[in-house]
Structure formats: C-alpha cells, structure tokens
Amino acid sequence: MFKPCQRQGTVGAVALSLLGHDAGIYCIITELIGEYAYIADGRGRRVDRPKKKKLKHLLITEYAVPDEGMADGKTNLTNREIRIFISEFHKAVSEK
C-alpha cells in the first residue's frame, strides 16, 4: 500500500503532468535543477532520456518511490520498475 513520504516534492516523487503533450500522465521526478524537473514514465519518456519540464507544470503528489530506488539524489530505477511503480500507484489511488 502506498503511504505519504517525507520526500514530498523532491527527486523520486510521483507527479502528474498538467500541460503539454504528456498532460494527464503520471511520472517520476528523476532529477531537479532549479525550476526544472526531469521526469520519466518508463514508456514514452525513458530514464535515459527524461523530459525537462517546469515545476509549475507538474502536480507533485505526496507519494514517492521507496528509498531503495534512490542514490545520490537521483533515481536508480529501471524503466520497467518505473512502469510497475506508476501502475501500482495508479491502482492504489483509483481504489480510494
């Protein structure tokens, strides 16, 4: 079960894209640089080519990947792990 995380609004957080071609898509923040976040969803936006997006265009949730998925301020998850995590997150949210 997904529970709120202390790392809200940081790398590893689950975010919903609000604007652009990827609007309505859940993603994981893989890196933060200034007012920009690099996001990946494991499908269209993969870990090796994350999308650069302004933070104001994201709705950052209170949920994040477990600490095992983090290293040195970046996510070390594979595309498959991100897809599975987002799928499980989406199921958990829709059950509420």
Side-chain angles (χ1 to χ4, degrees):
M1 177 145 198
F2 290 89
K3 296 181 180 176
C5 179
Q6 296 297 330
R7 292 185 288 114
Q8 178 182 1
T10 62
V11 174
V14 177
L16 177 65
S17 177
L18 299 174
L19 296 171
H21 293 284
D22 54 359
I25 303 293
Y26 282 103
C27 54
I28 303 292
I29 297 175
T30 60
E31 191 174 358
L32 287 172
I33 299 177
E35 64 180 29
Y36 292 95
Y38 287 85
I39 59 171
D41 65 3
R43 292 182 194 278
R45 281 297 172 175
R46 303 176 72 75
V47 174
D48 55 339
R49 289 188 47 107
K51 171 133 177 85
K52 181 179 179 183
K53 197 156 186 91
K54 285 194 173 187
L55 286 171
K56 68 180 183 179
H57 296 156
L58 294 171
L59 176 63
I60 301 172
T61 69
E62 60 185 358
Y63 300 92
V65 297
D67 289 331
E68 306 87 59
M70 302 296 299
D72 299 326
K74 292 187 178 182
T75 58
N76 61 358
L77 298 173
T78 64
N79 291 310
R80 182 175 186 263
E81 291 169 333
I82 288 177
R83 285 192 309 267
I84 290 169
F85 183 82
I86 291 173
S87 174
E88 291 174 358
F89 168 78
H90 198 273
K91 287 178 191 174
V93 170
S94 62
E95 288 177 359
K96 281 189 173 183

